[in-house]
Amino acid sequence: MKTTTELTQEDKDFYSMAIEFASSENTDLSSQTVIQIINDEKDRQRKIEEEKKKRQEEIKRKQEEAEKEKQTQLKVLNDSLRVGLLKKSVIFKDTDKWIFKDVINMTLDIENTSDKKVKGFQGLITFKDMFDNDIKSLNVKYDEAITSGTSTTYDGSFEVNQFIKDDIEFRDTPLEKITVEFEMDQIIFDDGTTIKRSDIE
């Protein structure tokens, strides 16, 4: 193997890497000059860097695609249904009539604002006061079809726990002072598409 003493520190580093790589691969370098070895190692390192850059770009592309898909699915969850409170009434405790707790009856308006028929959904509805403070949250599950662009009503009720502040406040707040916020947890469309918040967040 021919040698030279006029090498920069960078060339020496490349030469060391070449020798180490050749040793690991059981490659014979005896027929090459030092300069040839260095140049071959520079080419090898350049290819390694190019491949590394390609992998990083591919990872970044996949991450961007995944984030785009995530935002698309979140938009479907957030925008497919609009929920409002149409009615709220209270049946007060009356032991003479075997009613042992106050009962709140309510009617929700559910509008399908998507471009597909909804087969069913579940999520969390939060009732707020006029200052946007949370009053009470309830889980809602609905398993009847709602055609795109149409609305339906959902009647529900629950007993008031006199020891829970949220129940009392919701009972006593007039309908006109209540606003509704709905967070979809899962929606199933008639075409079989299912989107779950827990799968994308």
Side-chain angles (χ1 to χ4, degrees):
M1 183 187 301
K2 298 180 180 179
T3 62
T4 179
T5 57
E6 296 181 358
L7 295 176
T8 65
Q9 184 58 51
E10 181 183 40
D11 286 341
K12 291 178 182 179
D13 291 340
F14 278 117
Y15 182 77
S16 297
M17 286 187 287
I19 296 301
E20 183 177 348
F21 179 71
S23 177
S24 67
E25 296 291 315
N26 293 319
T27 303
D28 183 11
L29 300 178
S30 60
S31 63
Q32 294 180 261
T33 66
V34 170
I35 297 303
Q36 287 174 333
I37 293 171
I38 290 172
N39 288 336
D40 287 349
E41 182 62 20
K42 286 181 178 180
D43 288 340
R44 190 177 75 86
Q45 291 296 329
R46 182 165 53 252
K47 290 177 181 178
I48 291 174
E49 287 301 316
E50 289 174 352
E51 186 61 31
K52 181 180 178 181
K53 183 178 180 181
K54 287 180 181 179
R55 287 199 303 269
Q56 290 173 337
E57 289 174 348
E58 180 66 13
I59 290 171
K60 182 179 179 181
R61 183 184 67 79
K62 289 181 178 179
Q63 288 174 336
E64 289 174 347
E65 287 179 353
E67 179 62 25
K68 184 177 179 180
E69 178 63 19
K70 173 183 174 180
Q71 294 304 321
T72 298
Q73 292 192 326
L74 282 175
K75 182 173 176 59
V76 172
L77 282 177
N78 295 332
D79 297 347
S80 291
L81 296 177
R82 189 157 44 227
V83 179
L85 181 62
L86 287 179
K87 301 176 183 177
K88 181 177 80 79
S89 60
V90 181
I91 299 175
F92 290 98
K93 174 182 175 181
D94 187 342
T95 54
D96 291 339
K97 296 181 179 179
W98 296 89
I99 302 173
F100 300 102
K101 291 183 179 181
D102 293 347
V103 177
I104 298 176
N105 295 312
M106 55 188 170
T107 300
L108 301 177
D109 176 71
I110 305 169
E111 180 183 1
N112 180 357
T113 55
S114 75
D115 58 359
K116 295 193 290 186
K117 185 177 182 179
V118 173
K119 190 175 182 180
F121 70 90
Q122 61 182 14
L124 184 71
I125 185 169
T126 300
F127 302 100
K128 295 174 171 283
D129 64 18
M130 62 188 297
F131 303 105
D132 204 36
N133 299 311
D134 292 355
I135 300 175
K136 185 174 182 61
S137 295
L138 295 170
N139 290 308
V140 176
K141 183 184 294 184
Y142 191 83
D143 59 2
E144 296 185 21
I146 310 173
T147 303
S148 174
T150 66
S151 297
T152 189
T153 57
Y154 172 81
D155 294 320
S157 64
F158 69 93
E159 293 182 337
V160 175
N161 188 326
Q162 61 179 328
F163 301 107
I164 297 180
K165 175 181 173 295
D166 294 353
D167 285 12
I168 303 301
E169 185 176 1
F170 185 59
R171 181 197 64 189
D172 296 341
T173 303
L175 175 65
E176 62 272 15
K177 292 184 178 180
I178 296 175
T179 58
V180 173
E181 182 178 278
F182 180 67
E183 182 177 272
M184 187 91 71
D185 174 59
Q186 180 178 359
I187 188 167
I188 302 172
F189 292 100
D190 195 57
D191 63 4
T193 303
T194 298
I195 301 177
K196 295 178 66 175
R197 189 175 296 273
S198 59
D199 289 342
I200 57 180
E201 286 192 335

